[in-house]
Amino acid sequence: MLANFLRKNRYFFLPYAVFLVVVGALQLLYTQEQLMQWVNKRNSLLADELFPYLTYMGDGAFFVIVCVILLIYNRRVGFVAFASFALSSLTSLFLKTVVFPNSPRPLKFFEHSTYEYHLIKGLDIYSYNSFPSGHTTSAFAVFGLLAFLDARKNRGYFFFLLCILTGYSRVYLFQHFVEDVYVGSIVGTVSSVIIYLFLHDWMKSKAVEESIDKDIS
């Protein structure tokens, strides 16, 4: 079942696999500081305006709104979305507060650095609980799940792009290191894969029931 699932959703998983390999390799070749500086110096006025808004695609409130919309559309699909939200969020929270408590964010880690980092004026930047990125976790969980649910599988590229934009925004906004985003993407994706596969037959049975009811009526 897993192999068939991966094949059907290859438009999401193929670019994600490339992301894991490329960004994973970069982290072996360069330090988190070097990667942060590479992203930070590629700033622009347009990016400064856009990323503070794009980053909300990984906000928990955004995930809940998506869940509610899906719940209205189909109760079982909505339940699956809420289950994905719960698993991904609780896993991220556990890692942040129990396994890696008080992990410093870039602002705290580089507070004595002589390198002049670009910071967006007026933006609230946190100091702790950096690993992993909760926003990235949520983004990969919600958009990954939407890609799995979408009948038009070729739109997996689009959903993956939204994931990447959210993850990149967290580094650009100086809220997280690349490793935070990298691991957050894994937590979010794996959470949605587990929930989707575990509840797939339950969702499918509901779809069959609705189809039979329509035929009878």
Side-chain angles (χ1 to χ4, degrees):
M1 183 178 181
L2 179 60
N4 183 53
F5 167 75
L6 294 174
R7 180 186 60 79
K8 288 177 63 176
N9 293 283
R10 61 187 179 278
Y11 293 104
F12 179 87
F13 285 112
L14 283 177
Y16 182 48
V18 173
F19 165 80
L20 290 177
V21 172
V22 173
V23 179
L26 289 174
Q27 292 183 90
L28 293 175
L29 295 172
Y30 302 99
T31 65
Q32 293 299 312
E33 182 176 5
Q34 290 173 318
L35 293 173
M36 176 61 72
Q37 290 177 2
W38 187 92
V39 173
N40 188 260
K41 69 182 180 181
R42 285 164 174 78
N43 60 79
S44 68
L45 292 176
L46 178 60
D48 285 358
E49 291 293 330
L50 287 178
F51 281 125
Y53 294 100
L54 291 178
T55 200
Y56 281 113
M57 292 190 296
D59 192 82
F62 176 82
F63 201 159
V64 171
I65 291 172
V66 172
C67 290
V68 171
I69 293 173
L70 291 175
L71 190 66
I72 295 172
Y73 170 75
N74 183 299
R75 282 180 296 177
R76 293 199 182 190
V77 172
F79 176 83
V80 170
F82 271 114
S84 175
F85 171 70
L87 180 59
S88 60
S89 299
L90 290 175
T91 302
S92 177
L93 184 63
F94 177 77
L95 291 173
K96 280 176 174 290
T97 60
V98 179
V99 182
F100 303 100
N102 297 320
S103 53
R105 297 199 184 214
L107 185 65
K108 184 66 177 178
F109 188 85
F110 296 123
E111 64 179 347
H112 301 301
S113 174
T114 56
Y115 185 88
E116 188 174 346
Y117 287 96
H118 170 73
L119 301 177
I120 299 176
K121 293 182 179 180
L123 183 70
D124 290 331
I125 303 178
Y126 301 106
S127 298
Y128 294 101
N129 299 117
S130 185
F131 188 87
S133 167
H135 279 68
T136 306
T137 297
S138 292
F140 273 83
V142 66
F143 293 123
L145 182 62
L146 290 176
F148 307 155
L149 293 170
D150 195 341
R152 294 177 59 181
K153 296 301 181 182
N154 59 347
R155 286 194 288 213
Y157 286 125
F158 171 71
F159 289 116
F160 177 73
L161 176 62
L162 296 180
C163 293
I164 290 298
L165 285 174
T166 307
Y168 187 83
S169 75
R170 303 309 290 165
V171 181
Y172 185 91
L173 297 176
F174 218 63
Q175 299 283 18
H176 286 284
F177 294 99
V178 172
E179 63 181 4
D180 304 336
V181 169
Y182 190 80
V183 174
S185 77
I186 295 174
V187 173
T189 302
V190 171
S191 295
S192 280
V193 169
I194 290 174
I195 294 298
Y196 181 86
L197 292 178
F198 184 72
L199 296 175
H200 175 264
D201 290 341
W202 179 66
M203 283 193 298
K204 187 176 181 181
S205 66
K206 179 62 175 178
V208 171
E209 290 172 7
E210 291 177 344
S211 176
I212 293 174
D213 291 339
K214 288 180 181 179
D215 291 339
I216 292 175
S217 60

